[in-house]
Amino acid sequence: VVTAAAAVAAPPGVEREEARYVMGTLATVRATAPDETAALAALDAAWDAFARVDARMSTWREDSDLSRVNAAAAAGPGAAP
């Protein structure tokens, strides 16, 4: 018996993986692309997305939007960014 997955050839390409600490934990990103340049660009794009979320939503950073909203909450209702 041959499964559909076994009958399909794996696409050619380059796979790269990086791990970094973000939002208080270790995150791992794996990118598969046609070449090294594209794989590294995909990793960069993923880490940029993590950085944007971290800047807004991190409870580990005092300068994140969420931390500022939480700190201001003691003074009363306020607008969220």
Side-chain angles (χ1 to χ4, degrees), residues 22-73:
V22 62
M23 294 187 72
T25 193
L26 182 64
T28 302
V29 174
R30 180 180 301 140
T32 303
D35 57 53
E36 182 80 11
T37 301
L40 294 176
L43 287 175
D44 287 343
W47 293 123
D48 287 347
F50 270 107
R52 287 190 305 276
V53 172
D54 191 38
R56 300 210 62 190
M57 304 300 292
S58 179
T59 58
W60 294 88
R61 293 175 44 173
E62 291 182 15
D63 64 339
S64 75
D65 291 345
L66 181 61
S67 290
R68 284 194 295 274
V69 167
N70 285 339

Side-chain angles (χ1 to χ4, degrees), residues 15-26:
E15 185 173 285
R16 293 294 174 258
E17 182 176 289
E18 288 183 3
R20 296 183 188 177
Y21 285 97
V22 62
M23 294 187 72
T25 193
L26 182 64

